[in-house]
Amino acid sequence: MLDQVTKVHDESRQGEAFAPQMADVQTYSKKFYIESYGCAMNFNDSEIVASILNKEGYGATRNVEEASLILLNTCSIREKAEQTVRKRLTEFRQIKRSTPGLLVGILGCMAERIKGKLLEEEKLVDLVVGPDAYRSLPALIAEAGTGMKSVNVLLSREETYGDISPVRLDNNGVTSFVSIMRGCNNMCTFCVVPFTRGRERSRDAYSVVREAAELFDNGYREVTLLGQNVDSYYWTSSNGEETVTFAQLLEKVALVHPLLRVRFSTSHPKDITDDVLFVMAKYDNICNYIHLPVQSGSNRILQLMNRTYTREWYMKKVDRIREILPDCGLSTDIIAGFCTETEEDHQETMDIMRYVQYELAYMYFYSERPGTLAERRYQDDIPEEIKKKRLAEIVALHRRHSEAGMKKEVGKTFRVLIEGTSKRSQEQLFGRNDQNKVIVFPRENYSKGEYVMVKVESCTAGTLIGKVV
Ligand code: SAH
Ligand code: SF4
Ligand code: F3S
């Protein structure tokens, strides 16, 4: 599928059901089944939901047939994401018909976007709960249990779930997400997130550090700090005496332990500061990798998108990153075929890709979203064939860049955090280097959670292959 090309961070994990921890299976009398769609923040939210449900006596199950509660944590970012959820709902309809008392709930961004209408459209949905309303889940479940339809899609200006310890259900025990903020105050005209997730708010810095420290104590060796726009993180203590910027938070988390790797996502090009780059340079355990979505290489389109930077500004930012962090990996998001995009605009996107040579790119064609500024102001006037043709060109160009990027690593030695057994062979382990590249190597006596130095001997399009030295 063209709008789901190479490694799409959102959809690559689409529809994953959480694996239960064994303890859950044994301890809880009631079972819930949850599937998550969309971005990492949504996956992390499902872990918060799991924590809230555990307290209510619900344990997670991977087997939908033994669940008395089915939840879909949904995404609205592109039309296709919503279609996938609708399809899944029709599949659950069968199970619901044959299972008395089974409750089906919709959580997340699509719940927020379509609200109560989902209950009318999807007669077999019992609960609709928006991203800021998960604390009300127990009450809503009780209400739905009496046969009433329950909805809470209120957005909040304060909710960060900062005090809730997420239950890590589907994990490798080595890497984990930690949400540091919610919502987004940018108004990129194509984007539905400000409407589904509400205003930006930052989580208590100390609760972030505490969560990272707990993860480390439990054997985790990497945390990814999450937000739609991490660089605008700004926390003020309740007495107003202390403030913490993203650069300061990053440093606090890096100081948890030198063996805890720290990553973060996503950075908005307009907001990433030198301070952040200097903190990255100062600490070895902060990975030299930045996800810096460009969206388009054309100034006219960037302006229509309300990205608030120009291509020149973006290129200077990339230069600055390379100056301070010479071996920093860069990845991006690109949208092909935004409203009024000409062939010339498209060529400018290709051109900026050549300039940066991204290691990884998530590439999509424009999908108009109801209620966004672009939907209200502009016409979605690029025919689908042209959107797809341009996207295919962008994908092909990116493939050349990423392949070249892989080849240039052959012969080098990297510090790798082992994440687990390779999918291809039990005899091989895999992990990532600082720049987020996957490396596979013979197992020998190593195990996950350990750091090893691996010399790269060859590569495929997406994987480096090497040996521990
Ligand atoms: N907060 C992040 C991105 C969140 S959405 C940021 O600002 O970079 C992830 C990506 O989905 C976006 O970067 C964009 O490339 C893509 N996207 C968002 N809305 C889209 C739409 N309407 N059509 C196609 N792609 C879209
Ligand atoms: Fe959407 Fe823009 Fe906010 Fe990212 S920064 S979530 S693209 S509005
Ligand atoms: Fe999708 Fe919502 Fe994330 S729209 S990308 S799940 S913030």
Side-chain angles (χ1 to χ4, degrees):
M1 292 299 294
L2 270 181
D3 65 339
Q4 214 186 317
V5 276
T6 60
K7 292 194 212 146
V8 179
H9 59 154
D10 310 345
E11 278 88 351
S12 63
R13 295 182 66 188
Q14 243 191 24
E16 252 177 55
F18 277 123
Q21 285 168 335
M22 287 321 289
D24 295 333
V25 178
Q26 287 148 11
T27 329
Y28 301 103
S29 53
K30 296 174 283 182
K31 304 273 163 63
F32 74 96
Y33 171 92
I34 189 164
E35 254 175 43
S36 307
Y37 296 81
C39 61
M41 299 206 67
N42 235 26
F43 279 76
N44 194 225
D45 279 3
S46 291
E47 300 184 326
I48 288 165
V49 166
S51 174
I52 292 169
L53 290 178
N54 276 181
K55 291 205 175 69
E56 291 298 301
Y58 280 93
T61 174
R62 212 191 250 191
N63 177 4
V64 70
E65 256 109 55
E66 61 175 30
S68 57
L69 173 65
I70 295 179
L71 298 171
L72 286 182
N73 195 358
T74 61
C75 173
S76 284
I77 200 83
R78 283 167 291 276
E79 197 182 349
K80 200 170 155 284
E82 291 199 355
Q83 281 164 358
T84 315
V85 168
R86 286 184 193 279
K87 193 163 151 271
R88 223 32 207 137
L89 277 175
T90 21
E91 287 159 13
F92 287 139
R93 213 171 273 174
Q94 311 301 330
I95 310 176
K96 171 115 172 126
R97 286 213 176 99
S98 58
T99 321
L102 173 71
L103 297 178
V104 176
I106 307 286
L107 315 178
C109 291
M110 194 174 162
E112 191 63 51
R113 195 182 79 72
I114 320 192
K115 303 191 167 65
K117 261 192 259 153
L118 264 173
L119 294 176
E120 293 154 31
E121 287 171 33
E122 300 289 338
K123 295 254 177 317
L124 292 170
V125 170
D126 308 288
L127 290 162
V128 177
V129 190
D132 285 346
Y134 297 145
R135 283 183 208 264
S136 67
L137 261 169
L140 295 172
I141 292 168
E143 195 175 271
T146 68
M148 274 160 71
K149 303 282 181 189
S150 303
V151 187
N152 186 351
V153 288
L154 287 176
L155 286 172
S156 156
R157 277 173 183 263
E158 288 91 35
E159 182 63 90
T160 60
Y161 301 110
D163 57 319
I164 295 183
S165 285
V167 171
R168 313 289 168 187
L169 292 167
D170 186 47
N171 63 50
N172 55 12
V174 180
T175 61
S176 185
F177 296 130
V178 176
S179 291
I180 62 164
M181 58 201 295
R182 298 181 72 82
C184 182
N185 283 358
N186 291 325
M187 274 288 172
C188 303
T189 56
F190 52 79
C191 185
V192 80
V193 173
F195 304 97
T196 63
R197 295 248 160 192
R199 304 293 291 169
E200 182 185 291
R201 61 224 102 115
S202 298
R203 180 178 166 190
D204 181 324
Y206 292 95
S207 81
V208 171
V209 174
R210 215 178 305 125
E211 190 175 325
E214 274 169 23
L215 285 163
F216 184 79
D217 290 343
N218 288 325
Y220 286 82
R221 291 294 173 264
E222 183 181 297
V223 291
T224 303
L225 307 181
L226 294 179
Q228 293 297 352
N229 184 10
V230 288
D231 300 280
S232 69
Y233 176 91
Y234 191 75
W235 176 72
T236 310
S237 63
S238 49
N239 61 9
E241 278 171 14
E242 190 185 358
T243 58
V244 178
T245 64
F246 180 59
Q248 290 163 337
L249 180 73
L250 197 56
E251 179 155 33
K252 285 182 194 296
V253 178
L255 286 168
V256 164
H257 200 284
L259 287 178
L260 182 70
R261 265 189 178 176
V262 189
R263 298 186 187 277
F264 55 88
S265 184
T266 297
S267 294
H268 194 297
K270 78 173 161 58
D271 292 316
I272 186 163
T273 58
D274 276 5
D275 283 351
V276 169
L277 303 178
F278 288 135
V279 172
M280 289 174 77
K282 184 168 165 198
Y283 293 92
D284 276 349
N285 57 330
I286 304 178
C287 292
N288 280 341
Y289 181 81
I290 300 175
H291 185 59
L292 200 67
V294 66
Q295 314 296 2
S296 168
S298 149
N299 281 338
R300 194 179 65 81
I301 296 294
L302 285 171
Q303 193 171 9
L304 288 180
M305 287 177 163
N306 193 30
R307 288 293 286 182
T308 71
Y309 52 84
T310 60
R311 64 182 275 124
E312 293 77 19
W313 162 281
Y314 185 95
M315 284 149 88
K316 268 205 196 120
K317 198 46 102 178
V318 168
D319 294 345
R320 186 72 178 143
I321 291 170
R322 299 223 157 117
E323 198 181 315
I324 298 173
L325 304 161
D327 61 349
C328 188
L330 281 174
S331 60
T332 201
D333 294 344
I334 296 174
I335 300 178
F338 188 62
C339 311
T340 77
E341 188 187 74
T342 62
E343 180 58 29
E344 213 179 0
D345 295 319
H346 167 59
Q347 289 306 329
E348 288 193 300
T349 298
M350 304 274 280
D351 188 62
I352 208 163
M353 290 171 72
R354 286 187 200 97
Y355 184 80
V356 185
Q357 308 261 333
Y358 297 103
E359 333 272 344
L360 191 65
Y362 303 102
M363 301 158 283
Y364 318 94
F365 62 76
Y366 175 57
S367 163
E368 185 178 78
R369 307 311 294 133
T372 54
L373 294 174
E375 188 248 358
R376 283 182 268 156
R377 283 187 200 155
Y378 317 131
Q379 221 186 327
D380 180 15
D381 58 352
I382 307 302
E384 187 148 321
E385 322 83 81
I386 297 190
K387 285 183 183 172
K388 288 188 173 167
K389 179 178 155 285
R390 289 182 188 160
L391 179 60
E393 286 172 20
I394 288 171
V395 170
L397 179 64
H398 170 64
R399 205 157 275 161
R400 287 213 294 280
H401 293 160
S402 73
E403 275 172 22
M406 295 301 273
K407 284 198 185 115
K408 85 171 190 262
E409 310 296 32
V410 176
K412 293 187 192 161
T413 300
F414 294 106
R415 188 157 184 264
V416 173
L417 172 61
I418 306 177
E419 290 182 27
T421 303
S422 153
K423 273 193 203 123
R424 295 246 170 86
S425 152
Q426 282 291 319
E427 298 311 306
Q428 306 271 317
L429 292 171
F430 85 98
R432 273 166 225 271
N433 69 3
D434 217 46
Q435 291 80 7
N436 216 15
K437 285 186 172 140
V438 174
I439 306 191
V440 171
F441 52 92
R443 175 183 291 274
E444 298 175 63
N445 288 322
Y446 302 105
S447 43
K448 71 176 184 182
E450 283 178 339
Y451 288 95
V452 281
M453 297 302 291
V454 180
K455 180 163 187 191
V456 179
E457 294 173 334
S458 61
C459 68
T460 65
T463 312
L464 300 173
I465 301 158
K467 262 206 196 99
V468 177
V469 289

Short mmCIF file of all heavy atoms in Angstrom, two decimals, residues 9-10 77-78 184 186 188 190-193 227-229 266-268 291 293 295 307 333-335 362 364-369, ligand 1:
data_model
loop_
_atom_site.label_atom_id
_atom_site.label_comp_id
_atom_site.label_asym_id
_atom_site.label_seq_id
_atom_site.Cartn_x
_atom_site.Cartn_y
_atom_site.Cartn_z
N HIS A 9 5.76 4.54 11.21
CA HIS A 9 5.76 4.38 12.67
C HIS A 9 4.36 4.22 13.22
O HIS A 9 4.12 3.44 14.08
CB HIS A 9 6.52 5.48 13.40
CG HIS A 9 6.05 6.87 13.17
ND1 HIS A 9 6.25 7.85 14.07
CD2 HIS A 9 5.41 7.44 12.15
CE1 HIS A 9 5.76 8.98 13.59
NE2 HIS A 9 5.25 8.76 12.44
N ASP A 10 3.43 4.96 12.66
CA ASP A 10 2.06 4.79 13.16
C ASP A 10 1.58 3.38 12.87
O ASP A 10 1.48 2.53 13.73
CB ASP A 10 1.09 5.76 12.51
CG ASP A 10 1.58 7.18 12.52
OD1 ASP A 10 2.52 7.44 13.28
OD2 ASP A 10 1.05 7.97 11.79
N ILE A 77 -5.62 10.01 12.20
CA ILE A 77 -4.68 10.88 11.48
C ILE A 77 -4.93 10.89 9.97
O ILE A 77 -4.81 11.92 9.33
CB ILE A 77 -3.21 10.53 11.84
CG1 ILE A 77 -2.29 11.69 11.51
CG2 ILE A 77 -2.72 9.26 11.18
CD1 ILE A 77 -2.22 12.73 12.57
N ARG A 78 -5.22 9.73 9.41
CA ARG A 78 -5.57 9.64 7.98
C ARG A 78 -6.84 8.82 7.85
O ARG A 78 -7.17 8.04 8.74
CB ARG A 78 -4.42 9.00 7.19
CG ARG A 78 -3.26 9.94 6.92
CD ARG A 78 -2.03 9.21 6.44
NE ARG A 78 -1.47 8.41 7.50
CZ ARG A 78 -0.64 8.86 8.43
NH1 ARG A 78 -0.23 10.10 8.39
NH2 ARG A 78 -0.20 8.07 9.38
N CYS A 184 -1.55 19.34 21.54
CA CYS A 184 -0.67 20.12 20.65
C CYS A 184 -1.28 21.49 20.40
O CYS A 184 -2.46 21.59 20.10
CB CYS A 184 -0.48 19.38 19.33
SG CYS A 184 0.64 20.26 18.22
N ASN A 186 0.10 23.58 18.13
CA ASN A 186 0.39 24.01 16.76
C ASN A 186 -0.87 23.78 15.94
O ASN A 186 -1.68 22.96 16.27
CB ASN A 186 1.53 23.20 16.17
CG ASN A 186 2.83 23.53 16.86
OD1 ASN A 186 3.06 24.66 17.25
ND2 ASN A 186 3.67 22.53 17.04
N CYS A 188 -1.04 22.96 12.47
CA CYS A 188 -0.69 22.56 11.11
C CYS A 188 -2.03 22.30 10.42
O CYS A 188 -2.87 21.59 10.98
CB CYS A 188 0.17 21.31 11.13
SG CYS A 188 1.66 21.53 12.10
N PHE A 190 -3.18 20.60 8.04
CA PHE A 190 -3.61 19.26 7.60
C PHE A 190 -4.01 18.36 8.77
O PHE A 190 -4.55 17.29 8.57
CB PHE A 190 -2.48 18.57 6.81
CG PHE A 190 -1.15 18.55 7.53
CD1 PHE A 190 -0.91 17.63 8.54
CD2 PHE A 190 -0.16 19.48 7.21
CE1 PHE A 190 0.30 17.63 9.22
CE2 PHE A 190 1.05 19.48 7.89
CZ PHE A 190 1.28 18.55 8.89
N CYS A 191 -3.73 18.80 10.01
CA CYS A 191 -3.64 17.84 11.11
C CYS A 191 -4.84 17.85 12.05
O CYS A 191 -5.32 18.89 12.49
CB CYS A 191 -2.37 18.13 11.92
SG CYS A 191 -2.08 16.92 13.21
N VAL A 192 -5.27 16.67 12.41
CA VAL A 192 -6.45 16.50 13.25
C VAL A 192 -6.09 16.45 14.75
O VAL A 192 -6.95 16.62 15.61
CB VAL A 192 -7.19 15.20 12.78
CG1 VAL A 192 -6.53 13.95 13.33
CG2 VAL A 192 -8.66 15.23 13.12
N VAL A 193 -4.80 16.28 15.03
CA VAL A 193 -4.38 16.06 16.43
C VAL A 193 -4.82 17.16 17.41
O VAL A 193 -5.32 16.85 18.49
CB VAL A 193 -2.85 15.80 16.51
CG1 VAL A 193 -2.37 15.74 17.96
CG2 VAL A 193 -2.50 14.51 15.80
N GLY A 227 5.94 13.05 22.98
CA GLY A 227 5.02 14.18 22.91
C GLY A 227 4.84 14.54 21.45
O GLY A 227 5.70 14.19 20.63
N GLN A 228 3.75 15.21 21.11
CA GLN A 228 3.58 15.63 19.70
C GLN A 228 4.61 16.67 19.33
O GLN A 228 4.91 16.86 18.16
CB GLN A 228 2.17 16.20 19.48
CG GLN A 228 1.05 15.19 19.61
CD GLN A 228 1.14 14.08 18.58
OE1 GLN A 228 1.94 14.13 17.66
NE2 GLN A 228 0.31 13.08 18.74
N ASN A 229 5.13 17.35 20.33
CA ASN A 229 6.08 18.44 20.06
C ASN A 229 6.94 18.60 21.30
O ASN A 229 6.79 19.55 22.05
CB ASN A 229 5.24 19.70 19.76
CG ASN A 229 6.10 20.87 19.37
OD1 ASN A 229 7.29 20.74 19.15
ND2 ASN A 229 5.49 22.03 19.31
N THR A 266 8.25 13.69 19.24
CA THR A 266 8.75 14.24 17.99
C THR A 266 9.24 15.67 18.19
O THR A 266 8.69 16.39 19.01
CB THR A 266 7.60 14.29 16.96
OG1 THR A 266 7.16 12.96 16.69
CG2 THR A 266 8.03 14.90 15.68
N SER A 267 10.21 16.08 17.40
CA SER A 267 10.69 17.45 17.46
C SER A 267 10.07 18.26 16.33
O SER A 267 10.05 17.80 15.19
CB SER A 267 12.21 17.49 17.30
OG SER A 267 12.80 16.85 18.40
N HIS A 268 9.59 19.44 16.65
CA HIS A 268 9.13 20.34 15.60
C HIS A 268 10.33 21.21 15.22
O HIS A 268 10.95 21.82 16.09
CB HIS A 268 7.97 21.20 16.10
CG HIS A 268 7.25 21.91 15.01
ND1 HIS A 268 7.85 22.87 14.22
CD2 HIS A 268 5.98 21.80 14.56
CE1 HIS A 268 6.96 23.31 13.33
NE2 HIS A 268 5.82 22.67 13.52
N HIS A 291 14.07 12.88 15.22
CA HIS A 291 12.98 12.79 14.24
C HIS A 291 12.49 14.22 14.00
O HIS A 291 11.95 14.85 14.90
CB HIS A 291 11.85 11.91 14.79
CG HIS A 291 10.76 11.69 13.78
ND1 HIS A 291 11.00 11.12 12.56
CD2 HIS A 291 9.44 12.00 13.81
CE1 HIS A 291 9.86 11.06 11.86
NE2 HIS A 291 8.90 11.60 12.60
N PRO A 293 10.29 16.11 11.45
CA PRO A 293 9.39 16.09 10.28
C PRO A 293 9.46 17.37 9.45
O PRO A 293 9.34 18.46 9.98
CB PRO A 293 8.00 15.94 10.92
CG PRO A 293 8.25 15.31 12.23
CD PRO A 293 9.56 15.90 12.70
N GLN A 295 7.71 17.59 6.26
CA GLN A 295 6.39 17.61 5.59
C GLN A 295 6.47 18.00 4.12
O GLN A 295 5.88 17.33 3.27
CB GLN A 295 5.37 18.51 6.30
CG GLN A 295 5.28 18.37 7.81
CD GLN A 295 4.81 17.01 8.31
OE1 GLN A 295 4.58 16.10 7.55
NE2 GLN A 295 4.74 16.85 9.62
N ARG A 307 3.38 25.49 8.84
CA ARG A 307 4.47 24.86 9.60
C ARG A 307 5.38 25.91 10.25
O ARG A 307 6.24 25.57 11.07
CB ARG A 307 5.29 23.93 8.70
CG ARG A 307 4.57 22.65 8.31
CD ARG A 307 4.34 21.73 9.51
NE ARG A 307 5.56 21.07 9.94
CZ ARG A 307 5.61 20.19 10.94
NH1 ARG A 307 4.51 19.87 11.61
NH2 ARG A 307 6.75 19.63 11.28
N ASP A 333 9.03 13.05 8.46
CA ASP A 333 7.71 12.72 7.91
C ASP A 333 7.50 13.61 6.68
O ASP A 333 7.85 14.79 6.72
CB ASP A 333 6.59 13.07 8.90
CG ASP A 333 6.60 12.23 10.16
OD1 ASP A 333 7.27 11.18 10.19
OD2 ASP A 333 5.92 12.63 11.12
N ILE A 334 6.93 13.03 5.65
CA ILE A 334 6.67 13.80 4.42
C ILE A 334 5.24 13.54 3.96
O ILE A 334 4.77 12.41 3.98
CB ILE A 334 7.67 13.40 3.31
CG1 ILE A 334 9.09 13.76 3.74
CG2 ILE A 334 7.31 14.08 1.98
CD1 ILE A 334 10.17 13.29 2.79
N ILE A 335 4.58 14.61 3.54
CA ILE A 335 3.24 14.47 2.96
C ILE A 335 3.31 14.84 1.48
O ILE A 335 3.77 15.93 1.13
CB ILE A 335 2.22 15.39 3.67
CG1 ILE A 335 2.12 15.04 5.15
CG2 ILE A 335 0.85 15.28 3.00
CD1 ILE A 335 1.17 15.93 5.94
N TYR A 362 8.95 8.56 7.12
CA TYR A 362 7.57 8.08 7.13
C TYR A 362 6.83 8.93 6.10
O TYR A 362 6.77 10.15 6.25
CB TYR A 362 6.95 8.23 8.51
CG TYR A 362 7.74 7.51 9.58
CD1 TYR A 362 8.59 8.21 10.43
CD2 TYR A 362 7.68 6.12 9.68
CE1 TYR A 362 9.32 7.54 11.40
CE2 TYR A 362 8.42 5.45 10.64
CZ TYR A 362 9.24 6.16 11.50
OH TYR A 362 9.97 5.51 12.45
N TYR A 364 3.63 9.75 3.42
CA TYR A 364 2.19 9.57 3.24
C TYR A 364 1.71 10.44 2.10
O TYR A 364 2.35 11.44 1.79
CB TYR A 364 1.43 10.03 4.49
CG TYR A 364 2.05 9.63 5.79
CD1 TYR A 364 2.92 10.48 6.47
CD2 TYR A 364 1.76 8.39 6.36
CE1 TYR A 364 3.48 10.12 7.68
CE2 TYR A 364 2.32 8.02 7.57
CZ TYR A 364 3.18 8.88 8.22
OH TYR A 364 3.74 8.52 9.41
N PHE A 365 0.56 10.08 1.52
CA PHE A 365 -0.07 11.11 0.68
C PHE A 365 -1.16 11.79 1.49
O PHE A 365 -1.68 11.23 2.46
CB PHE A 365 -0.56 10.56 -0.66
CG PHE A 365 -1.62 9.50 -0.60
CD1 PHE A 365 -2.94 9.81 -0.31
CD2 PHE A 365 -1.29 8.17 -0.86
CE1 PHE A 365 -3.91 8.84 -0.27
CE2 PHE A 365 -2.26 7.19 -0.81
CZ PHE A 365 -3.57 7.52 -0.51
N TYR A 366 -1.44 13.01 1.11
CA TYR A 366 -2.36 13.83 1.89
C TYR A 366 -3.75 13.22 1.95
O TYR A 366 -4.30 12.81 0.94
CB TYR A 366 -2.42 15.24 1.29
CG TYR A 366 -3.44 16.12 1.97
CD1 TYR A 366 -3.39 16.34 3.34
CD2 TYR A 366 -4.48 16.71 1.24
CE1 TYR A 366 -4.34 17.13 3.98
CE2 TYR A 366 -5.43 17.50 1.87
CZ TYR A 366 -5.36 17.70 3.24
OH TYR A 366 -6.30 18.47 3.86
N SER A 367 -4.28 13.19 3.16
CA SER A 367 -5.61 12.67 3.38
C SER A 367 -6.40 13.77 4.10
O SER A 367 -6.05 14.13 5.23
CB SER A 367 -5.49 11.41 4.23
OG SER A 367 -6.71 11.04 4.82
N GLU A 368 -7.40 14.32 3.45
CA GLU A 368 -8.13 15.42 4.05
C GLU A 368 -8.91 14.96 5.28
O GLU A 368 -9.60 13.94 5.22
CB GLU A 368 -9.11 16.02 3.03
CG GLU A 368 -9.81 17.24 3.55
CD GLU A 368 -10.73 17.85 2.51
OE1 GLU A 368 -11.85 17.32 2.31
OE2 GLU A 368 -10.33 18.84 1.89
N ARG A 369 -8.79 15.70 6.37
CA ARG A 369 -9.48 15.33 7.61
C ARG A 369 -10.55 16.35 7.95
O ARG A 369 -10.26 17.56 8.01
CB ARG A 369 -8.48 15.24 8.79
CG ARG A 369 -7.28 14.34 8.57
CD ARG A 369 -7.64 12.95 8.04
NE ARG A 369 -8.39 12.15 8.97
CZ ARG A 369 -9.49 11.46 8.63
NH1 ARG A 369 -9.95 11.50 7.40
NH2 ARG A 369 -10.12 10.74 9.53
N1 SAH B 1 3.46 15.85 16.01
C1 SAH B 1 4.15 15.29 14.97
C2 SAH B 1 3.36 14.46 13.99
C3 SAH B 1 2.10 13.83 14.35
S1 SAH B 1 1.24 13.04 13.05
C4 SAH B 1 4.80 16.41 14.20
O1 SAH B 1 4.39 17.53 14.27
O2 SAH B 1 5.69 16.13 13.48
C5 SAH B 1 2.48 12.11 12.21
C6 SAH B 1 2.60 12.46 10.78
O3 SAH B 1 1.41 12.13 10.06
C7 SAH B 1 2.79 13.93 10.47
O4 SAH B 1 4.10 14.34 10.67
C8 SAH B 1 2.38 14.02 9.03
O5 SAH B 1 3.45 13.75 8.16
C9 SAH B 1 1.37 12.89 8.90
N2 SAH B 1 0.01 13.44 8.74
C10 SAH B 1 -0.68 14.18 9.62
N3 SAH B 1 -1.87 14.54 9.12
C11 SAH B 1 -1.93 14.02 7.86
C12 SAH B 1 -2.90 14.06 6.82
N4 SAH B 1 -4.04 14.72 6.95
N5 SAH B 1 -2.62 13.40 5.67
C13 SAH B 1 -1.46 12.73 5.52
N6 SAH B 1 -0.51 12.66 6.46
C14 SAH B 1 -0.74 13.31 7.63
#
